């Protein structure tokens, strides 16, 4: 019997190839999205699950509160460097406590024979030995208990060992960090698992941190926190977070009693590290839920499309059902027959969906910077998911059409007297089409809002010059950097150059306290340090509104501040601040000589901060080079040659400032590209469903169309019969989708301090795009029906 079902199913599908291919395309697209979303969620959900006792591993993090009520709470994955040490000494809650100071994008070199190999490593960490008792990173060679307790010792992974030393034994070899500190390899670490949040592959003794950064390596540096410093703890069995967190405020009172920037230290579970974006998590659980919901709705639209097309074909199969029932088939047998047909289509669609998902995988991995794999031979969860998806789609998409078709009465079917009510009618199909277009239009409106906000962020005046400005790391923070600056100024095409910490807008921000003149207490707001020499203001095109620029100096002697400081000090005008002293970081006291117009120092997610500019050669980490747009390539070639002459032991690199600023909106760019792809798929599936409705209408209105043409109706008037129907459905779906999309996207925009308004133009554009795409989708079937011979139409009716 089952064999017979398959024979009949294959025969029917061969006869209705258009119906078959449209359904396969629709279901394949929806199922491909489902497979991709499932694989992505599974990939991210698997992070850090391999650690032993993972439920007892936590990271100390900081919530920063200010006295200003309007100031937002700040979140930082870091804590003051001494916190881990004093916690370990004062309490017995933890089995292990380990501090780790990580530097990103650093130069590491090794001498192998007569060759010196230099690489830019993604990260390099100074680590306490307890780190490897907390995390499950096995050491294959070397003594875990002692290796990082020895000064100038380092552990590297197998991959790093092979990259630097090939097949040689790396133990005993020497590597150099940032051309400053040399370490001896004392241990080899097993390569890190792919699903590890901790990606560092080189770990040096924590005792050597003080040689590189005296402040971070100090046990008295409670005055601030640095993003490099993190502290992890593995609590003892039976110890809870509720027991530990209440003791942490005592450290704030003891070591930071006068700070206006009040720290609250918390414990963040290891399971949350990958997902909590407040503390630099990679992707939020909310984002994964959104992806899951979108994937579900795309499957839903594909199933709705299948139902529409299947019921549109019902009239053509009514006599088949009648004959089979007359010959003795019961309803259950006919029901199984149509379910088998649906299952066959779904299985074929699943095969194509798998192929589409595999082809799209590189794009998805690039988009999310992930390494998702789709391999049913090694992934048992995928092996379970795909058959489950096939069964669910088969039942959901095929059951209703099967019930409708199997319910035909044989006499009515054979006499060809079935009505719309027998096959679901227009009402059910209209509702299904409307639901499809609601989903599609919500996605389209969302895509347009995201695109508008990104355009606004990238094209708005930021208050400084970003075009054709190149940021080049300095090779050193000494007199050599100033000499090289003078040489670079002679290069043809370079208009201006400055030594600085970072650009006006950067993710490299140092926030500190400020005291105005001789006030007894610090101000209740933080200020951001934008260290730069006397050419900083002109290079970036910053605008002075009062006073003058700083003079050349090798120390902090003068300050230029922005208007926000004037506002926060409640002064009436910028001129009132000129000549008056401020103290920053409790260390530097100097007069304010100029006030510049406010500029965006962060992304549009954040407000404009209080900023000061001063000269300090110890913090000159970059050259900012303004190059003539016509000479960028030749100028950069000349700059690289000069730079290599000065620093032959280093790697030359640079980044355009506008690209650096664009990276602020990396998450939004990812979301935009994803929604754009989903919108295309949703509108395509919806149009296939609309095609099914028009095909159904054409079958139902064959006689009506013939009579209208005989009575003089033109072809455009006939086409409008179909156009009127889909226009009404699109308008209804738009009236529901528009407020839904407005609510969702308004909430999304709340994350931006500077944002666009969701104007009528966005909704008009979404509606117009839907109309045009839908019109193209239905035009073929509508025109075919309008051109049909009226005589033939009346004969066949």
């Amino acid at each position: 019997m089952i064999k017979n079902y398959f024979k009949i199913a294959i025969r029917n599908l061969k006869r209705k190839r258009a119906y078959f291919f449209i359904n396969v395309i629709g279901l394949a697209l929806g199922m491909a999205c489902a497979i991709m979303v499932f694989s992505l969620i599974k990939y991210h959900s698997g992070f850090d699950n391999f650690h032993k006792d993972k439920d007892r591993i936590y990271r100390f993090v900081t919530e920063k509160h200010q006295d200003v009520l309007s100031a937002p709470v700040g979140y930082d994955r870091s804590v003051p460097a001494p916190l881990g040490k004093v916690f370990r000494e004062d309490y017995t809650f933890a089995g292990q406590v380990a501090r780790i100071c990580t530097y990103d994008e650093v130069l590491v070199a090794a001498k192998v024979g007569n060759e010196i190999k230099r690489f830019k490593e993604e990260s390099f960490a100074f680590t306490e030995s307890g780190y490897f008792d907390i995390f499950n990173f096995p050491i294959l060679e070397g003594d875990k208990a002692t290796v990082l307790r020895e000064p100038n010792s380092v552990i590297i992974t197998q991959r790093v060992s092979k990259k630097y030393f090939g097949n040689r034994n790396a133990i005993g070899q020497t590597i150099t960090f940032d051309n400053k500190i040399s370490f001896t390899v004392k241990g080899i670490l097993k390569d890190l698992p792919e699903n590890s949040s901790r990606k560092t592959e080189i770990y040096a003794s924590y005792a050597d941190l003080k040689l590189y950064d005296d402040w971070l390596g100090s046990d008295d540096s409670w005055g601030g926190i640095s993003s490099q410093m993190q502290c992890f703890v593995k609590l003892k069995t039976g110890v809870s977070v509720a027991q530990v967190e209440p003791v942490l405020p005592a450290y704030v009172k003891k070591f930071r009693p006068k700070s206006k920037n009040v720290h609250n230290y918390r414990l963040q579970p290891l399971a949350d590290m990958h997902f909590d974006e407040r503390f630099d998590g990679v992707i939020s659980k909310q984002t994964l839920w959104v992806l899951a919901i979108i994937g579900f709705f795309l499957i839903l639209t594909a199933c709705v499309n299948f139902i529409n097309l299947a019921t549109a074909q019902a009239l053509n199969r009514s006599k088949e059902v009648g004959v089979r029932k007359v010959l003795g088939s019961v309803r259950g047998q006919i029901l199984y027959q149509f379910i088998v047909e649906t299952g066959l289509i779904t299985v074929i669609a699943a095969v194509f969906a798998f192929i589409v998902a595999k082809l799209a995988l590189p794009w998805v991995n690039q988009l999310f910077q992930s390494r998702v794999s789709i391999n049913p031979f090694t992934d048992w969860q995928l092996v379970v998911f795909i058959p489950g998806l096939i069964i669910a789609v088969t039942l959901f998409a095929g059951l209703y059409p099967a019930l409708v078709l199997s319910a035909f009465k044989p006499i009515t079917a054979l006499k060809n007297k079935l009505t719309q009510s027998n096959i679901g009618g227009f009402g059910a199909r209209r509702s299904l089409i409307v639901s499809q277009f609601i989903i599609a239009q919500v996605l389209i409106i969302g895509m347009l809002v995201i695109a508008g906000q990104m355009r606004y962020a990238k094209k708005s005046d930021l208050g400084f010059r970003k075009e054709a400005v190149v940021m080049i790391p300095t090779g050193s923070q000494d007199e050599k950097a100033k000499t090289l600056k003078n040489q670079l100024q002679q290069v043809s095409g370079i208009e201006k150059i400055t030594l600085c910490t970072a650009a006006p807008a950067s993710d490299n921000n140092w926030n500190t306290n400020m005291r105005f003149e001789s006030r007894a207490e610090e101000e209740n707001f933080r200020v951001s340090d934008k260290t730069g020499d006397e050419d900083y203001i002109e290079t970036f095109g910053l605008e002075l509104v009062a006073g003058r620029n700083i003079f050349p100096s090798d120390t902090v002697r003068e300050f230029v501040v922005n208007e926000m400081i004037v506002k926060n000090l409640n002064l009436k005008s910028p001129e009132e601040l000129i000549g008056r002293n401020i103290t920053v970081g409790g260390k530097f006291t100097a007069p304010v000589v100029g006030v510049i117009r406010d500029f965006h120092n962060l992304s549009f997610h954040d407000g404009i901060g209080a900023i000061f500019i001063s000269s300090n050669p110890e913090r000159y980490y970059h050259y900012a080079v303004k190059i003539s747009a016509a000479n960028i390539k030749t100028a950069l070639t000349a700059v690289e040659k000069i730079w290599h002459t000065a620093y032959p032991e280093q790697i030359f690199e640079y980044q355009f400032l506008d690209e650096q600023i664009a990276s602020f909106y990396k998450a939004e760019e990812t979301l935009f590209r994803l929604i754009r792809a989903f919108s295309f798929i949703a509108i395509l599936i919806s149009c296939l469903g609309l095609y099914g409705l028009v095909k159904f209408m054409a079958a139902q209105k064959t006689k009506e169309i013939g009579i209208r043409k005989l009575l003089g109706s033109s072809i455009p008037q006939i086409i409008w019969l179909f156009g009127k129907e889909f226009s009404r459905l699109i308008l209804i779906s738009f009236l529901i989708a528009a407020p839904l999309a407005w609510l969702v996207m308004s909430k999304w925009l709340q994350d931006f301090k500077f944002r666009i308004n969701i104007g009528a133009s966005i909704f008009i554009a979404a509606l117009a795009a839907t109309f045009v795409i839908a019109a193209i989708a239905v035009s073929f079937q509508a025109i075919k029906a309008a051109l049909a011979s009226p005589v033939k139409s009346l004969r066949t009716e």
Side-chain angles (χ1 to χ4, degrees):
M1 181 64 72
I2 295 176
K3 183 178 180 182
N4 188 52
Y5 287 155
F6 277 102
K7 278 186 177 180
I8 296 172
I10 294 170
R11 190 182 304 144
N12 283 326
L13 294 178
K14 282 183 177 179
R15 285 207 311 266
K16 301 178 181 67
R17 291 180 182 176
Y19 165 79
F20 169 71
F21 283 119
I22 290 173
N23 271 322
V24 167
I25 291 171
L27 289 176
L29 288 174
M31 294 174 77
C33 291
I35 293 170
M36 288 303 313
V37 169
F38 171 80
S39 300
L40 195 63
I41 292 174
K42 183 177 68 67
Y43 169 78
H44 285 288
S45 300
F47 267 74
D48 299 319
N49 288 338
F50 60 91
H51 292 294
K52 184 181 179 182
D53 302 322
K54 59 181 181 293
D55 295 336
R56 295 196 282 124
I57 300 175
Y58 295 85
R59 175 171 64 179
F60 285 104
V61 294
T62 304
E63 291 180 4
K64 295 178 288 188
H65 300 260
Q66 296 182 28
D67 284 353
V68 182
L69 294 178
S70 60
V73 176
Y75 298 94
D76 205 301
R77 67 181 184 178
S78 306
V79 291
L83 179 63
K85 179 176 182 292
V86 295
F87 180 80
R88 182 168 49 221
E89 294 172 349
D90 293 347
Y91 299 101
T92 59
F93 294 124
Q96 287 290 341
V97 179
R99 294 174 289 177
I100 178 169
C101 188
T102 308
Y103 292 91
D104 298 328
E105 299 297 327
V106 294
L107 179 67
V108 177
K111 187 174 183 180
V112 184
N114 295 323
E115 179 188 5
I116 298 179
K117 292 186 177 181
R118 296 185 179 91
F119 294 97
K120 210 61 164 173
E121 294 292 345
E122 288 186 13
S123 62
F124 182 106
F126 293 89
T127 318
E128 292 184 314
S129 58
Y131 181 85
F132 295 100
D133 292 318
I134 295 174
F135 294 104
N136 184 27
F137 297 135
I139 296 179
L140 303 179
E141 297 182 50
D143 185 358
K144 181 176 70 172
T146 61
V147 62
L148 287 181
R149 293 179 182 176
E150 300 176 19
N152 298 103
S153 61
V154 70
I155 299 174
I156 62 177
T157 63
Q158 295 168 296
R159 191 191 69 83
V160 171
S161 173
K162 189 168 184 63
K163 180 169 72 171
Y164 283 90
F165 306 109
N167 295 324
R168 299 188 184 196
N169 185 4
I171 300 296
Q173 301 285 349
T174 300
I175 65 172
T176 304
F177 167 64
D178 199 24
N179 289 324
K180 294 179 180 177
I181 309 176
S182 294
F183 297 92
T184 302
V185 178
K186 295 293 184 71
I188 303 297
L189 197 66
K190 185 178 180 179
D191 283 339
L192 306 182
E194 178 57 39
N195 59 342
S196 172
S197 293
R198 309 296 303 161
K199 300 295 187 183
T200 304
E201 296 187 86
I202 306 177
Y203 298 91
S205 169
Y206 189 85
D208 296 312
L209 174 60
K210 199 171 180 65
L211 299 175
Y212 186 72
D213 191 317
D214 183 64
W215 181 76
L216 271 179
S218 170
D219 288 334
D220 297 318
S221 55
W222 286 94
I225 55 178
S226 170
S227 60
Q228 284 97 353
M229 179 64 65
Q230 296 183 66
C231 183
F232 294 91
V233 58
K234 179 187 280 189
L235 299 181
K236 290 181 178 178
T237 304
V239 176
S240 68
V241 173
Q243 292 174 267
V244 178
E245 287 191 340
V247 308
L248 300 179
Y251 290 129
V252 180
K253 294 178 182 178
K254 182 177 180 180
F255 297 107
R256 298 174 53 87
K258 297 182 180 180
S259 176
K260 296 289 185 179
N261 192 23
V262 180
H263 286 179
N264 287 345
Y265 305 124
R266 307 287 188 208
L267 287 179
Q268 180 191 32
L270 176 65
D272 291 345
M273 281 175 46
H274 186 74
F275 302 105
D276 196 336
E277 293 180 328
R278 297 175 305 170
F279 303 105
D280 297 329
V282 174
I283 188 170
S284 68
K285 290 182 179 179
Q286 182 182 9
T287 300
L288 295 180
W289 273 109
V290 169
L291 289 177
I293 291 169
I294 291 175
F296 170 77
F297 277 119
L298 288 176
I299 281 288
L300 182 64
T301 57
C303 291
V304 167
N305 172 67
F306 182 94
I307 292 169
N308 269 329
L309 289 172
T311 52
Q313 291 288 329
L315 288 176
N316 296 332
R317 303 192 63 175
S318 60
K319 289 185 179 180
E320 175 192 340
V321 173
V323 170
R324 293 182 65 177
K325 283 194 171 184
V326 168
L327 293 175
S329 293
V330 297
R331 185 178 182 184
Q333 291 174 317
I334 297 173
L335 181 74
Y336 293 145
Q337 174 62 57
F338 291 115
I339 289 292
V340 167
E341 286 187 21
T342 304
L344 187 60
I345 292 173
T346 306
V347 169
I348 295 171
V351 173
F352 281 103
F354 182 79
I355 295 171
V356 170
K358 288 286 284 185
L359 292 174
L361 189 60
W363 177 80
V364 172
N365 279 330
Q366 182 183 17
L367 187 64
F368 286 96
Q369 290 192 334
S370 58
R371 294 186 181 179
V372 178
S373 62
I374 299 177
N375 188 350
F377 297 105
T378 58
D379 188 349
W380 68 267
Q381 292 170 303
L382 191 64
V383 172
V384 173
F385 176 75
I386 292 179
L389 181 65
I390 291 172
I391 292 170
V393 170
T394 299
L395 293 177
F396 185 79
L399 193 57
Y400 175 74
L403 288 171
V404 169
L405 287 164
S406 63
F408 289 166
K409 295 180 180 179
I411 301 300
T412 307
L414 290 172
K415 288 184 176 181
N416 203 21
K417 291 188 176 182
L418 291 172
T419 63
Q420 292 181 16
S421 61
N422 295 118
I423 54 175
F426 280 134
R429 254 170 297 283
R430 286 178 178 132
S431 299
L432 295 174
I433 292 296
V434 167
S435 67
Q436 285 183 314
F437 273 99
I438 289 172
I439 296 168
Q441 290 193 70
V442 166
L443 289 172
I444 291 172
I445 293 169
M447 176 186 68
L448 293 175
V449 171
I450 295 170
Q453 177 64 24
M454 289 175 60
R455 191 181 308 111
Y456 172 67
K458 292 178 180 179
K459 300 297 182 182
S460 294
D461 180 12
L462 301 180
F464 62 89
R465 181 190 296 127
K466 63 177 181 177
E467 292 77 16
V469 175
V470 179
M471 304 301 296
I472 304 171
T474 56
S476 61
Q477 286 78 53
D478 54 24
E479 193 63 31
K480 194 174 184 180
K482 191 173 182 179
T483 302
L484 184 59
K485 175 190 172 184
N486 294 330
Q487 291 178 308
L488 294 177
Q489 283 178 323
Q490 309 306 314
V491 173
S492 176
I494 291 182
E495 298 176 353
K496 204 68 183 175
I497 184 170
T498 180
L499 280 162
C500 59
T501 299
S506 168
D507 54 8
N508 182 4
N509 290 285
W510 180 260
N511 294 313
T512 187
N513 56 61
M514 189 192 95
R515 191 189 306 272
F516 181 46
E517 293 199 317
S518 58
R519 290 182 180 178
E521 295 186 355
E522 299 169 356
E523 302 305 316
N524 57 5
F525 60 88
R526 307 286 283 176
V527 291
S528 180
D529 180 5
K530 295 293 180 183
T531 301
D533 65 15
E534 67 277 7
D535 294 314
Y536 188 88
I537 290 176
E538 189 175 350
T539 300
F540 290 108
L542 300 175
E543 182 182 351
L544 277 166
V545 296
R548 61 170 174 81
N549 190 10
I550 58 174
F551 289 138
S553 175
D554 292 332
T555 59
V556 179
R557 292 183 179 177
E558 299 172 326
F559 292 116
V560 169
V561 302
N562 69 342
E563 293 172 305
M564 189 58 68
I565 288 184
V566 178
K567 179 182 178 182
N568 288 348
L569 291 174
N570 295 316
L571 301 178
K572 293 181 180 179
S573 68
E575 286 76 12
E576 285 190 52
L577 191 55
I578 302 299
R580 302 173 76 172
N581 285 343
I582 63 173
T583 302
V584 296
K587 184 178 180 181
F588 300 108
T589 301
V592 174
V593 298
V595 178
I596 54 174
R597 192 172 301 283
D598 283 338
F599 58 84
H600 291 274
N601 61 308
L602 298 166
S603 76
F604 276 26
H605 288 282
D606 304 286
I608 294 174
I611 296 165
F612 70 91
I613 300 170
S614 64
S615 57
N616 185 354
E618 292 181 0
R619 289 179 50 80
Y620 290 162
Y621 302 139
H622 289 89
Y623 301 99
V625 185
K626 176 67 177 73
I627 305 177
S628 168
N631 298 303
I632 290 178
K633 188 174 181 180
T634 54
L636 282 175
T637 301
V639 167
E640 181 177 5
K641 184 176 180 181
I642 295 172
W643 196 92
H644 273 308
T645 301
Y647 303 110
E649 73 285 1
Q650 297 195 33
I651 298 173
F652 178 75
E653 57 184 347
Y654 63 87
Q655 185 178 24
F656 284 95
L657 179 56
D658 51 0
E659 293 176 354
Q660 182 177 308
I661 293 172
S663 68
F664 288 169
Y665 308 101
K666 189 175 181 180
E668 288 74 25
E669 179 68 29
T670 298
L671 182 62
F672 170 71
R673 293 172 66 185
L674 194 66
I675 295 295
R676 183 175 60 187
F678 283 155
S679 299
F680 171 78
I681 293 170
I683 198 72
L684 177 59
I685 294 173
S686 299
C687 287
L688 290 174
L690 193 59
Y691 175 87
L693 178 63
V694 173
K695 188 175 180 67
F696 174 79
M697 287 175 60
Q700 288 292 297
K701 293 178 179 288
T702 303
K703 187 174 182 179
E704 178 187 342
I705 292 170
I707 293 172
R708 284 177 177 271
K709 291 189 74 173
L710 288 174
L711 293 176
S713 292
S714 64
I715 290 177
Q717 287 174 323
I718 300 298
I719 292 174
W720 177 239
L721 284 174
F722 301 95
K724 180 172 61 175
E725 180 66 28
F726 87 75
S727 298
R728 184 187 299 120
L729 297 180
I730 290 175
L731 281 173
I732 293 171
S733 65
F734 176 77
L735 292 175
I736 299 172
L740 283 175
W742 184 86
L743 286 171
V744 172
M745 298 315 298
S746 293
K747 185 175 181 180
W748 180 78
L749 285 171
Q750 292 302 313
D751 194 39
F752 292 86
K753 294 290 185 182
F754 299 90
R755 54 183 177 265
I756 62 171
N757 293 317
I758 305 178
S761 59
I762 288 176
F763 296 100
I764 293 171
L767 183 60
T770 307
F771 265 117
V772 170
I773 296 170
I776 294 171
V778 304
S779 58
F780 172 76
Q781 192 66 39
I783 293 171
K784 180 181 176 182
L787 293 176
S789 168
V791 175
K792 185 177 180 182
S793 297
L794 292 173
R795 280 179 179 173
T796 56
E797 182 63 23

